[in-house]
Amino acid sequence: MPNTPLSPVPGTLELLVLRTLSAGSEMHGFAILEWIRNSTDDALIVEDGALYHALHRMEQRGWLASDWGISEKGRRARYYRLAPKGTRVLAAEETRWSRYVDAVAKIAPHEAEG
């Protein structure tokens, strides 16, 4: 069976965006999409519409800040960065996600060793 790209698990898009922006640089939406795709070796594909809704939601919650700028292609783009509240939310979400992964790993099928 070919490895088809996966959509993020519901409820994890915010974590993916926060983690992406925690690398330290400001990014516009398309760069965020590319970073997630490249960092997961094309395993996770985020839909444009879902990302832009999430970015707007996260900015309203105070997790992100943004400014308008010019992209590499000369187009006007909104550049996002972590706000201090976003840094705190990221730490809490990473802890929660690690607990979730550990719990699922306890019951998920394991590949045969040997």
Side-chain angles (χ1 to χ4, degrees), residues 1-103:
M1 180 163 98
N3 288 334
T4 58
L6 304 167
S7 295
V9 172
T12 62
L13 182 54
E14 287 86 356
L15 172 62
L16 294 170
V17 171
L18 292 171
R19 189 71 185 113
T20 299
L21 293 173
S22 73
S25 62
E26 294 184 334
M27 291 184 184
H28 54 78
F30 184 75
I32 294 170
L33 292 172
E34 287 293 299
W35 193 90
I36 293 170
R37 186 180 60 77
N38 291 334
S39 296
T40 62
D41 297 325
D42 297 322
L44 286 180
I45 303 295
V46 177
E47 297 294 327
D48 298 12
L51 175 70
Y52 289 108
H53 286 295
L55 289 170
H56 182 70
R57 224 179 14 253
M58 294 167 74
E59 192 170 21
Q60 285 184 322
R61 292 176 182 162
W63 300 0
L64 303 179
S66 68
D67 292 301
W68 286 100
I70 303 298
S71 73
E72 306 79 27
K73 295 184 179 184
R75 295 185 177 156
R76 191 167 181 245
R78 194 155 193 92
Y79 282 79
Y80 296 89
R81 65 188 172 281
L82 276 181
K85 186 174 182 179
T87 302
R88 292 189 300 274
V89 169
L90 173 60
E93 284 300 301
E94 285 180 328
T95 298
R96 189 177 70 84
W97 182 247
S98 291
R99 288 182 55 223
Y100 179 83
V101 168
D102 290 345

